[in-house]
Amino acid sequence: MFSITVRDHMMIAHSFRGEVFGPAQRLHGATFVVDATFRRAELDADNIVVDIGRASEELRGLLGEFNYRNLDDEPAFAGINTSTEALAKVIADRLAERVHAGALGEGARGLAGITVTLHESHIAWASYERSL
């Protein structure tokens, strides 16, 4: 399986519901380094997994929808704990929509899957992996 990974970051504010979250139940900020890995079994006609430039642009644009926002105020997240794991899934699913819409080029339609990893720090991160 071949893969490429592109990286960007986002800064958000949010809070959590539930005793398990302790002090994070209060509004707080988070800065995530976000990796998006695209996978396929065989390289495309151009001998690449996906156009890295397009993949980077799409990730940057998608993260711009969250950057500098309080996710508690976003209707898409109403009633949802925006945990690192949950955000990884949202980003992976939205990247998948962009692949299916052709935003990453025709060659990207041969992708087998996407993994999104959100790094909370240098010692903690969460990922979500999905097929396409």
Side-chain angles (χ1 to χ4, degrees):
M1 188 68 66
F2 294 95
S3 67
I4 65 105
T5 301
V6 295
R7 174 174 279 183
D8 209 317
H9 73 283
M10 67 178 177
M11 294 181 272
I12 57 106
H14 63 167
S15 61
F16 296 121
R17 286 173 312 286
E19 291 299 316
V20 69
F21 294 105
Q25 292 177 82
R26 293 187 296 274
L27 184 66
H28 63 279
T31 299
F32 295 107
V33 172
V34 181
D35 292 333
T37 300
F38 300 86
R39 295 182 320 279
R40 68 187 309 144
E42 300 296 330
L43 298 177
D44 71 6
D46 295 310
N47 230 19
I48 60 174
V49 172
V50 70
D51 181 322
I52 290 175
R54 277 184 153 175
S56 295
E57 289 171 8
E58 291 300 323
L59 179 62
R60 185 178 316 111
L62 193 157
L63 296 181
E65 299 171 13
F66 306 116
N67 211 17
Y68 296 109
R69 291 207 167 78
N70 179 350
L71 300 185
D72 295 349
D73 295 337
E74 296 296 316
F77 297 117
I80 298 171
N81 275 331
T82 51
S83 65
T84 305
E85 299 90 333
L87 290 174
K89 181 180 186 314
V90 167
I91 294 167
D93 289 345
R94 290 187 183 185
L95 280 173
E97 290 170 5
R98 291 176 182 215
V99 168
H100 293 306
L104 278 80
E106 284 303 311
R109 295 187 190 280
L111 289 169
I114 297 173
T115 301
V116 171
T117 302
L118 273 65
H119 301 264
E120 293 190 45
S121 73
H122 66 289
I123 59 171
W125 56 90
S127 299
Y128 179 76
E129 181 176 342
R130 60 160 292 157
S131 59
L132 292 175

